[in-house]
Amino acid sequence: MAVTVPGYSPSFKRPPETLRLRRKRARSHRATASPTPEPAPRRAALAAGLPLRPFPAAAGTGRATPVRRNPFARLDNRLPAAAEAPGEPGPVLDSNQENDLPQEEKFLETTIIELSKTSPASFSETHTPSSESAELPVDWSIKTRLLFTSSQPFAWADHLKAHEEAQGLVQHCRATAVTLPQSIQDTRLSTELRCAFQQSLIYWLHPAFPWLPLFPRIGADRKMAGKTSPWSNDESLQHILMSDWSVSFTSLYNLLKTKLCPYFYVCTYQFTVLFRAAGFAGSDVITALISPTTRGLREAMKNEGIEFSLPLIKENAHKKKASGTSLGHGEEQAISDEDEEESFSWLQEMGVQDKIKKPDMHSVKLRKEKHEVHMDHRPESVVLVKGTNTFTLLNFLISCKSLVATSGPQAGLPPTLLSPVAFRGATMQMLKARSVNVKTQALSGYKDQFSLEITGPVMPHSLHSVTMLLRSSQGGSFSAGLYTHEPTAVFNICPPVEKVLDKETVHKELASCGLHPKTLDQLSQVPFLGKSSLQHMEMSDYVCNWRSSTLK
């Protein structure tokens, strides 16, 4: 006759609630575990003579068996600090609570994504302390990705209606300035907000090949490998593409000269050029920044009669001389020529120039060439061209044979032109935007977290326009991770300012450049980030905190 045990299942397929055990984490090595009493169903089964497996924490062992951690307890799969500290008892894990969870909730826990609060940098950098202000500082670098997070949804940014998309395009083409209220109650019903968002995502590009990623161009060989490029071995087709590109480039410069275009970028496979109209970045003339450069490029520019300066080299040298600190190899060599001329003129005045052995010209030239090669491809190699020399630079770039790659996936492909306004031969493009709803871990459990991701060549005006929109739509509270295209981070250097420009005069002269008045006011300020670029920002109650990263 079989002995009936309450709650016992011979097949052990459906264990009852009474068999769900409560386990404890291991205590300190100094503490001895007390004998664990057998559960009532197990004692009844043993009394009936049923064969059972040994209990994991049997009495008399003198220590507690480590319990396997619940993998769904924490997102980062790390033990709590209290459980890892020696000499302190850990928290008790209730297996009843774990098993009582529905299967759907367990599945949701495994699919929860925790958003990163800071953007990872793709280059060697140092972080600067966060600063607090009402507005973001001007950042002339190109961003490749923006990741906004907020406690309020971004559902208004998805699935624009046909008339909203059309209205946004018209507002961009007509340079309509849209001013939103400080706070929008119902963002999903705000047509004005959705149209303005569409307007802020538009940029202009040349050339345009839908199957090729035309930004970034530096280091893009791997992405372009295997793509169809019929011009790579066809010289006549390359000539047609370059002729068309020259017309577009000249059109952009003419718009810039007449202050109908605020700025534009020329992205080659080796360097990037930023052209800015007079009135921007505190300069009263047209400026052009080139980064990174090489000795060969700088020598070619000198041979064409282009006057330029190396602002970072001179700035660092003067700062370190004033502070009395030692100069680096590159900076010390950059001012060596001036120092040598001054020292020899002083010796000549003293009448002892014949007793001092003067280095021969060959040694001086070799030392100078070594320095110039040493700073190639570094942030310190950034070149500044001002005034009428920018027109000479235009002609130099059009006729420069090394502007286009002769081999590899980018062979025969003209540089990419990026502009916030339309120009001859340009194609209208849109930044890609998508919103995601996720759950993040909080002290009391999990909370909803909403994110908006924008990818593409995000130029300075787009960054400012989007942050102005989110200020209104998210109630003045959101954060963002900013991903910078490395070669353009150095465009935030402060150019030499000869005179302070009148703000009203600048706004009046640049009123037709196609930018929002608030964006124009920001971009006309003198940049102060230097080699830094914005990496993270957080707005709380309409007050902005930001952090930047500096190139080494």
Side-chain angles (χ1 to χ4, degrees):
M1 180 178 179
V3 180
T4 304
V5 180
Y8 177 69
S9 176
S11 59
F12 211 74
K13 291 182 179 178
R14 289 178 292 179
E17 294 293 332
T18 54
L19 285 181
R20 291 181 179 174
L21 307 178
R22 180 172 298 185
R23 300 178 179 179
K24 296 185 178 181
R25 293 188 182 274
R27 297 182 182 271
S28 170
H29 294 289
R30 297 177 294 179
T32 13
S34 59
T36 308
E38 299 280 2
R42 182 179 177 87
R43 291 199 302 267
L46 290 174
L50 297 175
L52 295 179
R53 293 183 179 180
F55 191 59
T61 56
R63 70 177 72 176
T65 306
V67 181
R68 182 183 177 188
R69 182 178 53 83
N70 177 18
F72 302 107
R74 290 175 63 87
L75 287 177
D76 49 6
N77 288 333
R78 289 179 296 182
L79 290 174
E84 296 176 356
E88 297 181 5
V92 177
L93 175 64
D94 192 350
S95 60
N96 290 339
Q97 296 175 359
E98 173 193 338
N99 293 332
D100 287 342
L101 286 175
Q103 188 67 21
E104 295 180 358
E105 292 185 16
K106 290 185 179 181
F107 178 76
L108 284 175
E109 286 185 357
T110 62
T111 57
I112 289 174
I113 304 172
E114 187 173 6
L115 291 177
S116 173
K117 292 184 179 180
T118 57
S119 59
S122 60
F123 48 90
S124 180
E125 61 183 19
T126 55
H127 302 281
T128 56
S130 59
S131 302
E132 184 175 303
S133 60
E135 289 282 346
L136 280 176
V138 57
D139 189 345
W140 286 99
S141 64
I142 304 178
K143 308 298 179 184
T144 57
R145 180 172 177 246
L146 307 178
L147 182 59
F148 297 96
T149 57
S150 175
S151 58
Q152 299 184 25
F154 292 97
W156 54 268
D158 289 334
H159 309 297
L160 272 68
K161 298 178 182 178
H163 74 277
E164 292 172 340
E165 182 177 353
Q167 183 65 29
L169 297 178
V170 170
Q171 288 177 183
H172 171 81
C173 294
R174 296 178 180 175
T176 305
V178 179
T179 303
L180 298 174
Q182 186 177 16
S183 180
I184 301 175
Q185 298 299 328
D186 194 346
T187 55
R188 299 199 66 172
L189 299 179
S190 177
T191 303
E192 190 178 25
L193 171 65
R194 294 157 69 90
C195 294
F197 182 67
Q198 172 80 1
Q199 179 182 359
S200 65
L201 299 180
I202 298 174
Y203 67 97
W204 297 84
L205 174 79
H206 180 87
F209 302 107
W211 67 92
L212 281 181
L214 293 172
F215 180 85
R217 295 292 296 273
I218 298 177
D221 288 354
R222 183 175 297 179
K223 292 183 179 180
M224 291 188 178
K227 305 288 185 180
T228 304
S229 52
W231 52 81
S232 57
N233 297 318
D234 191 339
E235 292 187 1
S236 61
L237 187 55
Q238 291 180 15
H239 180 73
I240 294 173
L241 289 176
M242 281 304 299
S243 177
D244 193 28
W245 180 84
S246 302
V247 172
S248 298
F249 188 18
T250 307
S251 169
L252 258 179
Y253 185 84
N254 291 335
L255 290 171
L256 190 84
K257 189 177 180 180
T258 55
K259 298 183 178 180
L260 296 176
C261 173
Y263 63 90
F264 66 90
Y265 294 87
V266 182
C267 306
T268 75
Y269 76 106
Q270 288 184 320
F271 57 86
T272 307
V273 189
L274 167 62
F275 284 86
R276 289 185 296 216
F280 286 96
S283 177
D284 58 342
V285 294
I286 298 176
T287 58
L289 287 168
I290 311 173
S291 174
T293 62
T294 60
R295 173 177 171 268
L297 177 63
R298 295 189 294 270
E299 288 294 332
M301 292 172 61
K302 286 181 181 178
N303 295 335
E304 290 293 325
I306 302 174
E307 296 180 4
F308 61 87
S309 61
L310 299 170
L312 281 183
I313 294 294
K314 291 184 177 180
E315 178 184 353
N316 293 343
H318 291 312
K319 282 183 179 179
K320 293 192 175 183
K321 268 191 168 183
S323 61
T325 56
S326 59
L327 297 174
H329 175 71
E331 295 159 357
E332 181 181 2
Q333 200 65 22
I335 57 172
S336 60
D337 295 339
E338 298 178 2
D339 292 343
E340 285 179 359
E341 290 178 4
E342 293 177 1
S343 61
F344 285 122
S345 62
W346 177 74
L347 291 172
Q348 196 171 10
E349 293 176 0
M350 296 289 294
V352 293
Q353 70 275 9
D354 297 332
K355 299 180 181 180
I356 304 297
K357 185 179 179 181
K358 188 175 181 180
D360 57 294
M361 295 303 295
H362 183 66
S363 301
V364 173
K365 185 177 180 181
L366 286 178
R367 187 170 58 175
K368 186 177 180 181
E369 289 178 357
K370 181 181 178 182
H371 151 65
E372 291 180 351
V373 173
H374 176 74
M375 72 174 186
D376 285 355
H377 303 290
R378 296 173 59 89
E380 289 78 11
S381 67
V382 61
V383 164
L384 173 64
V385 183
K386 299 177 65 176
T388 56
N389 288 283
T390 56
F391 181 73
T392 313
L393 176 64
L394 166 76
N395 294 325
F396 168 75
L397 293 176
I398 290 176
S399 59
C400 182
K401 293 182 179 180
S402 61
L403 197 70
V404 179
T406 56
S407 61
Q410 300 191 55
L413 184 62
T416 301
L417 300 176
L418 294 173
S419 170
V421 298
F423 59 95
R424 186 173 176 181
T427 304
M428 178 185 288
Q429 301 288 335
M430 297 284 298
L431 298 173
K432 296 180 181 179
R434 67 185 186 100
S435 63
V436 181
N437 304 338
V438 299
K439 288 183 181 293
T440 55
Q441 192 175 17
L443 296 176
S444 59
Y446 296 103
K447 66 176 182 179
D448 290 330
Q449 188 78 11
F450 306 95
S451 68
L452 175 66
E453 182 185 39
I454 299 177
T455 56
V458 184
M459 289 182 279
H461 76 286
S462 296
L463 175 61
H464 186 262
S465 299
V466 172
T467 52
M468 281 198 307
L469 293 178
L470 297 185
R471 179 194 293 265
S472 300
S473 66
Q474 308 307 116
S477 296
F478 64 91
S479 61
L482 314 175
Y483 297 73
T484 305
H485 180 45
E486 176 187 348
T488 62
V490 76
F491 290 159
N492 290 317
I493 61 172
C494 177
V497 179
E498 297 178 357
K499 62 178 180 179
V500 179
L501 303 180
D502 182 55
K503 186 178 292 186
E504 294 183 0
T505 304
V506 170
H507 285 194
K508 186 177 180 181
E509 293 177 351
L510 296 170
S512 302
C513 70
L515 297 182
H516 192 281
K518 292 185 178 179
T519 305
L520 175 61
D521 181 54
Q522 190 207 34
L523 296 183
S524 59
Q525 298 174 7
V526 178
F528 61 86
L529 291 176
K531 293 189 293 182
S532 305
S533 61
L534 293 177
Q535 185 190 38
H536 180 76
M537 67 158 292
E538 185 171 355
M539 182 171 287
S540 178
D541 197 18
Y542 300 96
V543 177
C544 181
N545 286 278
W546 53 270
R547 185 172 67 250
S548 62
S549 60
T550 307
L551 287 172
K552 287 184 179 179

